[in-house]
Amino acid sequence: MKLTTAGESHGKALTGIIEGLPSNLKLNTEEINNLLALRQSGYGRGARQKIERDRIEILSGMRNGFTLGSPLAFLIINKDYENWREYMSPENCDTSKRVLTRVRPGHADLTGIIKYDQSDARNVLERASARETAVRVAAGSVFIQYLRNFGVEISGYVKNVCGIADESVYTFKEIGKAKQEPLFMLNSEKQEEAMRLLDKFKEEGDTAGGVIEIRVNGLKSGFGSCMQYSTKLDAILCAAAMSVQAIKGVEIGLGFKAANLAGSKVHDEIFYKDNRFCRETNNAGGIEGGMSNGEEIVLRAAMKPIPTLMKGLKTVDYLTKKPATAAGERSDVAAVCAAEIVLESAVACALAEIVSARLGGDNMREQLERYKNLR
């Protein structure tokens, strides 16, 4: 499977093409739209979310609710394009009215201008924008629905907002309730404290990041490989998570904590009960030797604060080379809830590719039979 995306933040639309989906996969477009809505939710989001009401339009690859085996092409209309048409139209627009040269620290502006030989950061930031993740969430829902056929479920929650951390351990069932909360946090006291902090940051024109935990439940052992570095499951999942805008760190299982403990406190002892191998702990986060081991996959990602600050940071004007205050764009105070949804989608995309590659086959019947026969 392969996902390709295209589109600018304030362009006509965002588009995606998924290649390699098996035929006869039943898709629920309302489930896709519901996940798109969740991506736009969460405490601390900005005004753009009030403009856009993202909905998927499937163009090809599906008939009467079932995939055909051909590429699935879809789009999401940018409603805000009508406010930007005269500056962002592919043809005959006045680019001089929306020039951005006061490049923003922490964003793609300066490096992108140099790399792509531009004089206006707008030609870079429109694609670098996290608006692109709407396509990945739409595709992510497709992959989530695909994986569910094999009994594989993905969920997550917010563990930390700008240092306000929830160190509790939750079951997979418990974290399913997180999306009913304004900040996707499960500890109400920590959540209220974090919301107060975000209110303070909003008044000050500042932004916040956080830590998100993603879980995968129900995946059988043996996905990924120890035979080539490029096929290790943890490497692939970490790369998928790091591809999400603003993610600066990823860990699996104990992650960095494992470096501070003795081996006897880290490695999960193996038992044989009820005719199956099992572990009583899951410090490895469900992955050993680059392969799934049948336990829950546990992945955490650290999101940096959004680089667009309303108060602006010190920078330099790219054209004049003189000191300036970074340009302000409509921004969120925090987008950790959106990041949680996007991370679920990114993980689903990577897993779907790994699962389909191992199972082979052109249709869902073949793949379901082959998955059933795996140990």
Side-chain angles (χ1 to χ4, degrees), residues 169 213 215 234 251-259 261-271 278-289 293 295-300:
V169 177
E213 181 169 296
R215 304 261 200 94
D234 40 4
E251 64 179 14
I252 293 194
L254 281 181
F256 283 95
K257 290 181 180 178
L261 299 172
S264 59
K265 304 295 183 182
V266 171
H267 303 296
D268 304 303
E269 294 181 313
I270 301 171
F271 303 89
C278 61
R279 296 155 182 81
E280 294 181 351
T281 58
N282 189 25
N283 295 330
I287 300 175
E288 291 178 303
N293 64 12
E295 305 293 336
E296 267 189 11
I297 292 174
V298 182
L299 177 150
R300 282 176 293 277

Side-chain angles (χ1 to χ4, degrees), residues 145-181:
Q145 292 181 58
Y146 165 75
L147 292 168
R148 191 182 298 141
N149 284 272
F150 308 104
V152 179
E153 298 282 352
I154 302 175
S155 191
Y157 69 107
V158 174
K159 282 187 68 71
N160 180 319
V161 175
C162 201
I164 300 173
D166 177 3
E167 300 296 345
S168 301
V169 177
Y170 301 101
T171 65
F172 188 83
K173 184 177 181 180
E174 286 173 331
I175 65 174
K177 302 174 184 177
K179 294 180 182 62
Q180 301 171 17
E181 300 295 331

Side-chain angles (χ1 to χ4, degrees), residues 37 73 89 126 203 231 258 264 268 292 297 365:
S89 174
E126 284 287 332
E203 293 176 2
T231 58
S264 59
D268 304 303
S292 61
I297 292 174
R365 179 180 54 79

Side-chain angles (χ1 to χ4, degrees), residues 14-199:
L14 302 167
T15 60
I17 297 177
I18 303 174
E19 300 175 61
L21 281 174
S23 65
N24 298 327
L25 168 64
K26 184 172 178 56
L27 292 178
N28 184 331
T29 55
E30 277 311 298
E31 182 175 337
I32 299 173
N33 290 329
N34 289 339
L35 199 65
L36 285 169
L38 275 173
R39 174 193 164 275
Q40 294 185 282
S41 68
Y43 201 80
R45 300 307 304 275
R48 178 76 187 267
Q49 312 313 317
K50 297 178 182 178
I51 297 173
E52 305 293 352
R53 288 292 184 269
D54 293 337
R55 295 186 68 83
I56 191 172
E57 180 180 348
I58 295 178
L59 305 176
S60 66
M62 186 173 83
R63 186 183 184 204
N64 195 33
F66 289 87
T67 57
L68 302 174
S70 54
L72 187 80
F74 61 92
L75 62 79
I76 299 169
I77 298 294
N78 283 330
K79 292 186 177 180
D80 205 16
Y81 175 67
E82 292 306 316
N83 300 321
W84 287 74
R85 182 188 293 272
E86 62 178 303
Y87 324 116
M88 287 298 299
S89 174
E91 296 179 310
N92 302 320
C93 68
D94 188 353
T95 59
S96 66
K97 291 185 178 180
R98 284 284 183 171
V99 175
L100 193 153
T101 57
R102 290 178 290 136
V103 290
R104 297 163 297 171
H107 215 293
D109 297 357
L110 178 58
T111 304
I113 282 179
I114 296 170
K115 175 179 173 64
Y116 293 104
D117 193 23
Q118 300 288 342
S119 59
D120 179 3
R122 176 75 46 198
N123 293 332
V124 176
L125 70 88
E126 284 287 332
R127 181 60 184 165
S129 167
R131 175 73 184 142
E132 178 264 352
T133 61
V135 176
R136 288 213 265 172
V137 169
S141 181
V142 172
F143 297 129
I144 287 168
Q145 292 181 58
Y146 165 75
L147 292 168
R148 191 182 298 141
N149 284 272
F150 308 104
V152 179
E153 298 282 352
I154 302 175
S155 191
Y157 69 107
V158 174
K159 282 187 68 71
N160 180 319
V161 175
C162 201
I164 300 173
D166 177 3
E167 300 296 345
S168 301
V169 177
Y170 301 101
T171 65
F172 188 83
K173 184 177 181 180
E174 286 173 331
I175 65 174
K177 302 174 184 177
K179 294 180 182 62
Q180 301 171 17
E181 300 295 331
L183 260 178
F184 290 11
M185 296 183 80
L186 292 167
N187 184 307
S188 58
E189 291 183 2
K190 295 291 185 180
Q191 180 168 251
E192 289 173 6
E193 185 181 352
M195 290 165 67
R196 288 194 296 270
L197 180 63
L198 295 186
D199 291 340

